[in-house]
Amino acid sequence: MAKFSIIKQHIYQKIESGEWPENHPVSSENALAEQFSVSRMTARRALQELADEGLVIRTQGAGTFVAPIKSQTSFMAIRNIADEIRSRGHDYRAKVHHMRTQDASSQVAEALSLTPGDEVLHSTIVHYDNDIPVQLEERYVNPNLVPDYLKQDFTKVTPHEYLCVVTPLTEASHQIEAILPISSVCHLLSIDRHEPCLRIIRRTWSSGGVVSYAILTHPGSRFKLGGHLNFSAS
């Protein structure tokens, strides 16, 4: 692994673990150069790439700080798909397929720190970029923390935007995997069953506990992860 990548991984881990919360100062170029026995140029490259990804904010004369979670854009961060699509000058829209209350399966209950059979709120939404489906969002929400979730119009605001308002998020976890889609996913995303997909499984927390458990599926040919994306939820 290149030395600048080692520095980036070190900072990723500090942020992901919560040791460095948002607005926390990040080590200077000189400090990182000394800590990792590299040139200042190498340390600068690591910090600049993190800034380009949206994980940190660099301010001349003040230093480098962990970016607020709403503006972070690395693979670890929460992203708003509507903002990401519009930032490219494209048209965004969403189609809501299901909004319902249901009993939690064992998997969903564990993810939301509930008991199997407890009531959960479930939404199924497809997000479109210029009328092309780019994400299928299956989201399960804890009704104890967000009782009015099913009353919202998610064609006008994304679930993540709404959740950020009513239960400000303090933490998120991600699991990323490559899959081949089942027939129902193919139908909703208008893809062939042999189209590889990227699936992101995300849990979010507020100060009151686990807020939501989301399964986000993207056709591989229509999705890029990382870099300059601004994709905070779904």
Side-chain angles (χ1 to χ4, degrees):
M1 183 182 293
K3 289 185 177 180
F4 78 90
S5 296
I6 294 173
I7 296 174
K8 287 178 64 178
Q9 190 62 37
H10 165 76
I11 296 174
Y12 282 145
Q13 291 171 352
K14 292 286 188 182
I15 295 172
E16 190 173 31
S17 69
E19 183 177 344
W20 287 1
E22 57 186 78
N23 302 316
H24 188 282
V26 176
S27 304
S28 68
E29 293 175 6
N30 288 337
L32 290 169
E34 181 175 352
Q35 180 179 353
F36 291 93
S37 301
V38 298
S39 68
R40 184 176 175 182
M41 184 177 297
T42 298
R44 181 182 300 126
R45 177 179 176 181
L47 291 177
Q48 188 57 52
E49 289 196 6
L50 290 170
D52 290 343
E53 293 169 13
L55 264 187
V56 303
I57 295 174
R58 308 195 74 193
T59 304
Q60 187 171 2
T64 303
F65 302 85
V66 176
I69 191 167
K70 290 181 183 179
S71 66
Q72 291 179 13
T73 56
S74 80
F75 72 91
M76 296 183 297
I78 300 174
R79 301 169 177 176
N80 182 5
I81 189 167
D83 288 345
E84 191 275 322
I85 290 171
R86 290 171 179 146
S87 72
R88 297 199 296 267
H90 294 184
D91 292 328
Y92 165 81
R93 70 177 176 90
K95 182 176 181 179
V96 178
H97 288 268
H98 301 290
M99 296 273 284
R100 59 195 175 199
T101 300
Q102 65 185 65
D103 294 340
S105 65
S106 297
Q107 179 181 358
V108 171
E110 181 179 0
L112 292 175
S113 297
L114 297 173
T115 300
D118 283 354
E119 183 179 277
V120 295
L121 310 178
H122 178 210
S123 60
T124 302
I125 301 170
V126 176
H127 301 275
Y128 291 80
D129 180 338
N130 283 347
D131 286 328
I132 298 172
V134 293
Q135 183 191 90
L136 168 61
E137 172 189 341
E138 293 276 353
R139 187 180 294 270
Y140 301 87
V141 174
N142 186 337
N144 301 315
L145 299 178
V146 197
D148 293 331
Y149 180 78
L150 296 183
K151 298 178 183 178
Q152 308 312 307
D153 183 352
F154 291 124
T155 65
K156 299 185 182 302
V157 61
T158 65
H160 174 65
E161 288 176 294
Y162 172 70
L163 294 175
C164 279
V165 172
V166 298
T167 55
L169 304 180
T170 60
E171 185 179 348
S173 69
H174 298 260
Q175 176 183 325
I176 304 172
E177 58 188 3
I179 65 162
L180 286 175
I182 60 175
S183 59
S184 60
V185 172
C186 292
H187 174 71
L188 290 170
L189 289 174
S190 300
I191 56 175
D192 183 86
R193 65 187 182 89
H194 299 297
E195 166 91 32
C197 291
L198 186 69
R199 175 175 290 168
I200 301 174
I201 299 175
R202 175 184 296 154
R203 297 170 72 203
T204 56
W205 285 258
S206 72
S207 58
V210 184
V211 174
S212 74
Y213 168 64
I215 302 169
L216 312 173
T217 305
H218 311 79
S221 61
R222 305 173 192 167
F223 184 72
K224 294 181 180 180
L225 180 64
H228 296 274
L229 293 176
N230 178 23
F231 185 16
S232 62
S234 333

